[in-house]
Amino acid sequence: MQIRFDGEKVIVTGAGHGIGRGIARDFAALGADVLALDVNAAGLAETQNGSEGSISTATLDVTDPAAVRETVAGFGPASILVHSAGGVRGQVGRPLEEITPEDWDAIVDVNMKGAFLMAQAVTPGMKSLGRGRIVTISSGAGIGVSLTGIQAYAAAKAGEIGLTRQLAHELGPFGITVNSIAPGFVRSNPTTERQWESYGPDGQERLVQGIFLRRTGKVEDISNMTLFLASDRAGWITGQIIQVNGGRA
């Protein structure tokens, strides 16, 4: 199944490393004009330098409404948005009573508020085009529980999933599809590597044995699904939360 994105303008958040970087590079390699966004300028430079296609970059805090609007407007009407920005912001699992409001807000804002602001900013352009694709990268934590025990992350990802469904309902009449990918355990960045190491050999073995395909995920596993959902092949798929996790009971 050949998929191309020649002439398409694509925005990818969280593109400074890991899953977002892989998605941005894959869109560019398939002909898209990609705008890669992240708070990490050095990471964005690596993403751009390793690309086989056209990637421009901009440093952006996706929780800043004015900056989001300005950045999106400067790029022009995008037909595809992938919101991959998020994560746990360096936090680790702690008892509920130890979580400060600042800890909570830091995670909820980048994962859920960021998804809302980015979708809000690209929607007028997509409506003007009469079509669009929005893909959020959520998490299995938003469907089940956070393996790291981070309450805000599980809540934010569940909220991102709810937002995806609601936007699909609202934007469908304008030819815009909105879907979410909920990855399983993907070793894609320093945070997930630290998590993997924290399990130790026995915990790592238990995790892998709980996956039907007996391996952890790769960035390309998530990128491949993203490319499909963004393509014309997925034109009648919207409001869906697709788990890409190697199979779990």
Side-chain angles (χ1 to χ4, degrees):
M1 180 174 62
Q2 183 66 23
I3 292 176
R4 297 284 306 177
F5 295 95
D6 301 285
E8 301 286 354
K9 296 176 77 70
V10 179
I11 297 175
V12 182
T13 69
H17 67 268
I19 290 172
R21 171 181 288 171
I23 290 171
R25 285 178 172 175
D26 285 349
F27 270 113
L30 293 172
D33 179 12
V34 177
L35 176 60
L37 304 175
D38 205 293
V39 293
N40 181 353
L44 285 174
E46 285 188 43
T47 299
Q48 187 178 45
N49 292 338
S51 173
E52 297 178 11
S54 173
I55 294 183
S56 57
T57 66
T59 304
L60 177 69
D61 176 356
V62 297
T63 70
D64 182 335
V68 167
R69 288 193 299 269
E70 181 180 353
T71 301
V72 170
F75 184 57
S79 57
I80 299 167
L81 166 68
V82 181
H83 181 67
S84 183
V88 298
R89 305 299 297 271
Q91 296 185 39
V92 297
R94 289 168 293 158
L96 177 63
E97 59 269 26
E98 295 181 13
I99 308 303
T100 67
E102 293 76 18
D103 293 335
W104 176 271
D105 289 345
I107 291 177
V108 171
D109 281 359
V110 70
N111 287 279
M112 187 164 62
K113 181 180 178 181
F116 164 73
L117 291 175
M118 289 302 304
Q120 185 181 52
V122 301
T123 291
M126 290 183 179
K127 285 182 176 179
S128 72
L129 294 172
R131 61 188 177 87
R133 300 280 189 268
I134 298 174
V135 180
T136 64
I137 307 300
S138 55
S139 171
I143 298 172
V145 298
S146 167
L147 294 178
T148 54
I150 300 176
Q151 304 87 350
Y153 185 71
K157 288 305 187 183
E160 193 172 359
I161 287 169
L163 177 66
T164 295
R165 292 194 181 101
Q166 187 65 32
L167 294 183
H169 170 73
E170 177 179 340
L171 300 179
F174 301 95
I176 302 168
T177 67
V178 190
N179 293 289
S180 188
I181 297 171
F185 192 86
V186 179
R187 296 171 60 186
S188 61
N189 57 48
T191 298
T192 53
E193 283 301 310
R194 286 193 296 271
Q195 184 180 347
W196 174 254
E197 293 299 327
S198 74
Y199 294 151
D202 290 343
Q204 292 168 5
E205 178 65 16
R206 284 194 299 273
L207 187 151
V208 171
Q209 289 303 310
I211 300 171
F212 295 167
L213 292 177
R214 298 297 191 269
R215 68 168 177 85
T216 57
K218 302 175 183 177
V219 169
E220 52 262 41
D221 294 320
I222 311 307
S223 184
N224 287 340
M225 179 56 72
T226 304
L227 296 172
F228 170 69
L229 289 174
S231 75
D232 290 340
R233 305 275 181 163
W236 210 49
I237 299 173
T238 196
Q240 301 306 303
I241 317 306
I242 300 173
Q243 298 189 69
V244 181
N245 59 13
R248 297 187 66 84

